[in-house]
Amino acid sequence: MRHRTPCACGPNGGLRWWYSRTAPVSRPGQINLRGLHPLLRAEIQWGLFVHARGSGRRWELTQIQSLADYCRDHGFHSLTDLTADSVDPDGEGGRLTTAGRDASYLARILIDLLTPLYVTPEQTREQGYLNTEHFGAG
């Protein structure tokens, strides 16, 4: 039997505000991406997909969740909203220091995985490097 708790904040006003500011419930073995901007959610999902296809360091779910929580709490729309100093785990003023060293590491890797999607071959030429991912060699 369910018990209803009276809510004094009305159906649309305060309750929606509270929902938008409350961290999602953690579930063991799952990453909760609810409340993230759709682009950010897609970037994280795509990065996880690409990482799972290759071999590399194991990513712990708690580290991925802390990155997602950090981005949600700060209202980011994309991982590209994180600047170079914010993902430097050794930097004192890094924006991700509250999310932890591993979250900074994951953010750096995810941004590196996204670079071929956001940079054209012409832009790499202008910036003085060649991104082989554009040509199917990587």
Side-chain angles (χ1 to χ4, degrees), residues 88-104:
D88 179 14
D90 299 321
E92 301 244 343
R95 291 165 72 181
L96 271 172
T97 51
T98 56
R101 183 179 186 87
D102 293 321
S104 299

Side-chain angles (χ1 to χ4, degrees), residues 18 31 62 101 103 116:
W18 182 80
I31 302 167
T62 55
R101 183 179 186 87

Side-chain angles (χ1 to χ4, degrees), residues 87-138:
V87 294
D88 179 14
D90 299 321
E92 301 244 343
R95 291 165 72 181
L96 271 172
T97 51
T98 56
R101 183 179 186 87
D102 293 321
S104 299
Y105 169 79
L106 291 177
R108 243 188 7 252
I109 290 179
L110 289 171
I111 290 169
D112 288 345
L113 290 172
L114 290 167
T115 299
L117 300 176
Y118 291 134
V119 180
T120 66
E122 291 76 25
Q123 289 172 323
T124 62
R125 190 175 304 120
E126 290 170 6
Q127 295 173 7
Y129 69 95
L130 179 65
N131 188 344
T132 58
E133 300 262 335
H134 286 132
F135 306 104

